[in-house]
Amino acid sequence: MRLKQNIYRVCSICIMIAWLYSMPAQAQDGYQRPPEAIAKLIEAPSTPSVSIDSKAEWMLLMERPGYPSIAEVAAPELRIGGTRINPATNGRSRRTFMTGLKLKEIASGKEFSFSGLPSNPQISNVSWSSDETKIAFTHTAENGIELWLADVETKSAKRLTNAIINNAYVSAFNWMPDNKHLLVSTIVDGRGEAPKKPRAPKGPVTQETAGAEAPSRTYQDLLENPYDASLFEYYTTVQLQKVDLNGNQTKVGNPDIIKAFNISPDGKYILAQTIQKPFSYLVPASRFPFNYEVWDINGNMVKEMAQIALDEVRPKGFDATRLGARSMTWRSDKPATLYWAEAQDGGDPKADVAERDVVYMVDAPFTASPTKLVGTSLRYSGIQWGDDSRAILNENWWAQRLDKRTLINPSKPGSAGKVIIDRSTTDRYNDPGRPMMVSNDYGRSVLKFDKDNIFMTSTGGSTDGDRPFLSKFNLKSQKQNIIFRSEAPYYERPIDIISAKADKIITLRESENEPPNYFIRNLRKGSMEAITDFPHPQPDMMAVNKEIIKYQREDGVDLTAVLYTPKGYDKEKDGPLPVLMWAYPIEYKSVATAAQVRGTPYSFTRVSSGSPLFWVLRGYAVMANTEFPIIGEGENQPNDQFREQLVMNAKAAIDAVAELGVGDRNRVGVGGHSYGAFMTANLLAHSDLFAAGIARSGAYNRTLTPFGFQREERTYWEAPELYNYMSPFMHADKVNEPLLLIHGEADNNSGTFPIQSIRYYNAIKGHGGTSRLVMLPDESHGYRAKESILHMLWEMDTWLEKYVKNASTKPEPTSINSKGR
């Protein structure tokens, strides 16, 4: 029995029970298993996760289990304050654990097991010490979370604490700079039992507003009453403790609800964010009031840096922000210097100001007035520190998709910097990438320099698809010298630089049929050496054919899709195949960037639980990553022609696969997850292009997300016609193709309440349409339990076999808007 039931879940269950009684008996047969060709892909072993030290001497291999059981996923949890907590362990619920740790010596290739690991390990929060001689991690037992330590030299592990870790909201621990201690979040001693739910309420739950506009997205798992607030306080209050490598513990400060804590590079101070009251029923805990506080290393208050108010009232728009200090943290290149940003426009993107944000900094002991480091013309988004005279200031502006980066001189606060990058975030072909970082004497990440150059790694978008590269970026000329680039038939990503001259790097290399493996490349010698040899986990996918196809929609926009066809398929001999098209709409402000090629034909084909690729083994042509751009240039907004552009995208894709002779245009199914589900429902309502659809975890009535959705900033009251125009719920009477609706009944994603699928199913049913609603117990926005995933795949396969592969021929539409607006 759950300790707390989300009100939407209760409503959903009530409606679902009534629905179940009206359904045929076959809908109540329990969890089903898909055909073995599909099931065996889900049951394939997982490839270990990898972490490599900075010198490329040691590789940590972290073994991953398969999908958890429904019993694990259905464990009791609290859904409060916008977070989900396992009350039995005082940790976060729905966490995926690792089940083993091994060390691999890269030079020799030898693997070592750690002695002393816990039996049946449930490992998370894995973290190297800055000197890379130790590895700390947590182990989740039945009664709580323990802190453990693994020693690289002795290859042994030991427990440092009992099950006292509090990882419900704040991070479990941070290494201290001396590499001999950890600062750890623990449960408060003697806190007693959790608050009991009152048998009767003490009074009504009230909220009040007095004129201030507070547009809020549709968050889930919020606090609903004083009892919820008491539970949140009980489980998130922590006692910080300093723990040495022998497990000795020293309390640091007093118990508090700590949102985050960070240790200064010199190890003398702690920056703590402490959550304050009043809590909110409107926004999650991330927007509760809090204080920025500087403590000494023993937890004594040094200075309260800022009090941040409850963040319920914020201007509209994705470029809006709250008032007061934000993003306060330590400079990584100084012993104890804080820096932060403050909005100068009231947080309102519509305000006309010369400076959007100002970045301030102050040195220990924090008694001086803050120094203005720099002002921004766009919204501040972080700084990458280098040395006394060089750092990179990052700014962005979502409305115009702008990315601006400026070289600044930290030793000359207030001086004008030099803009080195000014680009559109959606321009893949001209993305210079992100700087490569190196660890400094404090164990913090800073820019890696080579005289006037920094090193950048990019996805390397091109007309031939993504070709990742590593470059030297000259800070004076802004020119890039590419020193390594992925070459066909491989997809190879630079991961790290492991030599002072940057002539030795680690890459992650894969091909269509070779799984990702790590290599050391000697760029000077032109040689490479494999340091892992992970086998193909799903050999049945090796013979699948894969290609990127290019085509145009009727208004001239260039599009692409990744097309998969079955092993041995010959279109001349076998003829056109049934098609499954899978997509997710993306908004653009430029036709040119929307038309750029995305993805690569050379990436490894591994099928994950949410993938459409299972059906290439069932005789379908699968169009994955089918591009569905929604474009609004200049003053036009992308969603103003959402439906028309959806249908143009779909028609162009179907025409392309049919003209290749690969796809049967009368047997095309369409599907998507989340916003892709929203897309699917709209396509069935506003076109006759598809034989059937599959919509997973979507939202279909946009009036239930009235303060915006996805990338739409306008509210329902500003654009009611748009909300009705885009909502497939309002057009359920036009859905005359079969639609499978799947939803997790514990969905916590903003906007995609389970009631969305339930109400949409009822609307289709009420108009005589063909639909099936599948509510997966205890599943969130993405599905985790093995039973749920296998059942989902069974539902999808059954639907596709009945309504797509064996669809009766129907006349082709005469117009892309054959159902009208």
Side-chain angles (χ1 to χ4, degrees):
M1 185 96 176
R2 294 197 181 278
L3 296 178
K4 192 254 184 193
Q5 301 288 359
N6 183 288
I7 190 168
Y8 288 97
R9 183 184 177 208
V10 173
C11 294
S12 300
I13 291 174
C14 293
I15 295 172
M16 188 167 67
I17 289 172
W19 166 70
L20 285 171
Y21 278 109
S22 69
M23 290 296 292
Q26 56 128 25
Q28 303 173 50
D29 289 339
Y31 290 106
Q32 302 294 321
R33 183 178 176 87
E36 285 307 302
I38 291 176
K40 68 190 300 186
L41 298 183
I42 289 296
E43 294 170 342
S46 299
T47 301
S49 296
V50 167
S51 177
I52 302 172
D53 71 8
S54 61
K55 298 177 182 177
E57 293 178 354
W58 294 102
M59 172 183 289
L60 182 65
L61 300 171
M62 295 168 278
E63 297 169 4
R64 298 183 297 156
Y67 296 99
S69 69
I70 187 62
E72 294 174 80
V73 171
E77 70 178 356
L78 289 165
R79 304 173 189 169
I80 49 176
T83 191
R84 294 186 169 186
I85 299 169
N86 183 335
T89 65
N90 225 104
R92 295 163 194 167
S93 62
R94 301 173 185 267
R95 168 162 270 170
T96 298
F97 298 106
M98 286 161 286
T99 54
L101 299 176
K102 290 183 178 180
L103 268 181
K104 182 174 183 176
E105 189 176 42
I106 292 176
S108 67
K110 293 180 180 179
E111 289 189 9
F112 301 89
S113 296
F114 285 102
S115 63
L117 284 173
S119 58
N120 302 314
Q122 300 281 286
I123 294 170
S124 56
N125 299 307
V126 178
S127 176
W128 292 80
S129 59
S130 61
D131 64 3
E132 299 179 325
T133 64
K134 306 287 191 299
I135 299 162
F137 60 92
T138 59
H139 164 60
T140 300
E142 289 185 1
N143 64 330
I145 304 172
E146 305 164 345
L147 179 64
W148 283 67
L149 184 75
D151 187 280
V152 173
E153 183 179 358
T154 64
K155 318 297 186 299
S156 63
K158 64 180 181 180
R159 186 176 64 186
L160 292 183
T161 73
N162 293 324
I164 62 171
I165 305 303
N166 187 334
N167 196 201
Y169 193 75
V170 72
S171 58
F173 64 86
N174 283 337
W175 275 100
M176 300 188 72
D178 65 3
N179 296 302
K180 297 177 182 179
H181 295 85
L182 300 105
L183 190 58
V184 184
S185 305
T186 69
I187 295 168
V188 177
D189 287 344
R191 69 175 179 176
E193 294 185 0
K196 302 295 184 183
K197 185 173 184 178
R199 294 186 61 185
K202 295 181 179 179
V205 177
T206 61
Q207 300 183 62
E208 184 174 350
T209 185
E213 291 187 3
S216 179
R217 292 266 168 153
T218 46
Y219 298 112
Q220 301 203 44
D221 299 338
L222 300 178
L223 300 181
E224 296 176 6
N225 51 54
Y227 172 63
D228 283 357
S230 67
L231 285 174
F232 177 81
E233 185 172 7
Y234 175 86
Y235 282 102
T236 60
T237 298
V238 305
Q239 172 66 65
L240 292 184
Q241 297 202 56
K242 188 162 58 173
V243 179
D244 70 18
L245 303 188
N246 293 315
N248 298 310
Q249 302 165 23
T250 305
K251 290 182 180 178
V252 176
N254 297 315
D256 216 328
I257 304 176
I258 298 180
K259 182 178 183 178
F261 61 93
N262 302 96
I263 306 164
S264 62
D266 65 4
K268 295 181 179 180
Y269 301 96
I270 300 167
L271 176 65
Q273 299 176 37
T274 58
I275 292 178
Q276 308 295 313
K277 294 179 180 178
F279 299 154
S280 172
Y281 297 148
L282 184 64
V283 295
S286 60
R287 293 174 67 171
F288 288 0
F290 70 97
N291 295 342
Y292 283 114
E293 299 172 358
V294 176
W295 304 348
D296 68 20
I297 204 60
N298 297 314
N300 300 307
M301 177 76 77
V302 174
K303 184 171 183 180
E304 183 179 84
M305 298 297 300
Q307 295 182 353
I308 307 303
L310 173 63
D311 189 14
E312 283 187 350
V313 179
R314 184 185 289 195
K316 290 177 292 187
F318 291 109
D319 294 309
T321 191
R322 60 170 172 78
L323 297 178
R326 71 177 198 276
S327 304
M328 184 181 291
T329 191
W330 302 104
R331 276 184 62 166
S332 55
D333 63 330
K334 292 293 181 182
T337 299
L338 286 171
Y339 70 101
W340 66 93
E342 293 186 22
Q344 305 299 297
D345 57 3
D348 188 352
K350 294 181 180 178
D352 185 11
V353 295
E355 290 183 323
R356 288 286 170 190
D357 290 322
V358 166
V359 180
Y360 295 98
M361 62 182 182
V362 64
D363 298 329
F366 319 106
T367 54
S369 297
T371 299
K372 177 181 175 180
L373 174 62
V374 67
T376 71
S377 60
L378 308 178
R379 191 64 75 202
Y380 167 81
S381 61
I383 293 176
Q384 287 137 344
W385 299 96
D387 54 27
D388 283 340
S389 61
R390 293 177 292 186
I392 295 176
L393 169 71
N394 296 275
E395 309 170 52
N396 57 51
W397 197 250
W398 184 87
Q400 275 76 47
R401 314 307 197 266
L402 300 179
D403 169 24
K404 180 180 176 183
R405 295 178 238 175
T406 305
L407 180 67
I408 60 174
N409 186 340
S411 67
K412 296 181 179 179
S415 61
K418 179 180 181 180
V419 176
I420 56 173
I421 296 170
D422 194 353
R423 58 180 289 273
S424 167
T425 58
T426 57
D427 182 0
R428 203 173 186 89
Y429 292 175
N430 294 294
D431 181 6
R434 287 286 167 182
M436 298 290 279
M437 311 297 281
V438 66
S439 184
N440 65 7
D441 292 340
Y442 296 115
R444 305 299 175 98
S445 294
V446 293
L447 295 166
K448 180 175 176 60
F449 293 109
D450 178 25
K451 297 180 181 179
D452 292 325
N453 300 291
I454 58 172
F455 295 88
M456 303 275 274
T457 181
S458 171
T459 53
S462 74
T463 55
D464 296 322
D466 293 343
R467 295 180 59 206
F469 65 75
L470 175 67
S471 73
K472 279 187 178 182
F473 183 93
N474 190 279
L475 295 171
K476 290 185 175 180
S477 67
Q478 290 90 63
K479 292 183 179 178
Q480 282 188 301
N481 174 30
I482 295 177
I483 58 178
F484 168 80
R485 185 160 196 163
S486 179
E487 295 183 357
Y490 295 98
Y491 179 66
E492 190 168 3
R493 288 158 282 172
I495 301 298
D496 199 5
I497 297 171
I498 57 173
S499 65
K501 295 182 179 180
D503 54 1
K504 290 182 73 176
I505 64 173
I506 294 176
T507 67
L508 185 60
R509 185 179 192 236
E510 61 192 271
S511 71
E512 186 177 349
N513 290 313
E514 296 176 25
N517 274 290
Y518 290 85
F519 290 79
I520 292 179
R521 277 190 171 271
N522 189 312
L523 302 181
R524 181 173 53 84
K525 295 180 179 180
S527 61
M528 59 184 291
E529 175 188 0
I531 55 176
T532 61
D533 186 21
F534 299 130
H536 198 305
Q538 298 169 326
D540 287 356
M541 296 299 297
M542 290 182 68
V544 167
N545 305 305
K546 175 185 177 183
E547 63 176 314
I548 290 182
I549 61 171
K550 301 178 182 180
Y551 50 96
Q552 278 191 341
R553 71 184 196 187
E554 70 175 37
D555 61 355
V557 175
D558 293 320
L559 302 174
T560 63
V562 184
L563 177 64
Y564 296 82
T565 52
K567 173 184 177 180
Y569 171 69
D570 183 335
K571 65 182 179 182
E572 303 298 333
K573 181 178 67 175
D574 301 323
L577 300 172
V579 179
L580 173 59
M581 183 187 301
W582 204 259
Y584 190 96
I586 298 177
E587 299 89 341
Y588 295 91
K589 291 295 291 179
S590 160
V591 169
T593 56
Q596 291 180 350
V597 176
R598 289 166 176 81
T600 172
Y602 307 121
S603 60
F604 177 65
T605 303
R606 169 146 196 168
V607 184
S608 60
S609 61
S611 170
L613 300 185
F614 297 96
W615 285 276
V616 74
L617 300 183
R618 297 282 286 157
Y620 293 76
V622 176
M623 298 183 76
N625 302 322
T626 314
E627 291 195 348
F628 267 67
I630 308 298
I631 307 165
E633 292 193 297
E635 296 300 316
N636 298 320
Q637 294 301 314
N639 285 338
D640 292 344
Q641 289 194 316
F642 179 81
R643 285 170 18 190
E644 290 80 358
Q645 293 194 57
L646 275 189
V647 178
M648 278 196 290
N649 292 327
K651 184 176 185 299
I654 292 173
D655 288 346
V657 74
E659 289 166 7
L660 284 174
V662 171
D664 179 350
R665 68 170 64 248
N666 293 311
R667 294 188 297 160
V668 181
V670 64
H673 189 92
S674 194
Y675 208 56
F678 175 69
M679 169 205 76
T680 298
N682 267 300
L683 284 169
L684 296 196
H686 302 295
S687 77
D688 285 308
L689 296 167
F690 296 98
I694 298 172
R696 296 193 319 228
S697 297
Y700 310 103
N701 182 350
R702 285 305 171 192
T703 68
L704 299 180
T705 55
F707 285 106
F709 55 89
Q710 197 69 3
R711 294 304 179 195
E712 178 56 60
E713 296 184 288
R714 291 166 289 183
T715 70
Y716 172 77
W717 296 272
E718 292 173 318
E721 299 84 2
L722 177 76
Y723 276 66
N724 286 288
Y725 157 76
M726 290 185 68
S727 295
F729 179 85
M730 310 305 180
H731 307 277
D733 58 323
K734 300 174 185 175
V735 178
N736 56 6
E737 297 88 8
L739 177 61
L740 173 63
L741 294 163
I742 302 175
H743 214 121
E745 61 88 7
D747 193 335
N748 67 337
N749 184 57
S750 178
T752 55
F753 295 104
I755 200 71
Q756 288 270 7
S757 287
I758 295 169
R759 293 262 176 91
Y760 190 46
Y761 167 79
N762 287 336
I764 294 173
K765 181 178 180 180
H767 287 94
T770 299
S771 186
R772 179 176 172 88
L773 174 63
V774 181
M775 302 297 293
L776 297 173
D778 296 293
E779 293 293 352
S780 189
H781 192 60
Y783 319 138
R784 295 183 64 235
K786 182 177 178 180
E787 293 90 337
S788 301
I789 291 165
L790 290 173
H791 185 87
M792 172 196 75
L793 296 171
W794 176 81
E795 293 279 3
M796 292 174 64
D797 186 71
T798 302
W799 201 256
L800 290 168
E801 291 290 294
K802 181 176 182 179
Y803 292 114
V804 176
K805 182 179 283 186
N806 296 300
S808 57
T809 302
K810 60 182 179 180
E812 296 177 17
T814 56
S815 167
I816 66 169
N817 292 309
S818 58
K819 294 187 180 181
R821 283 188 67 165

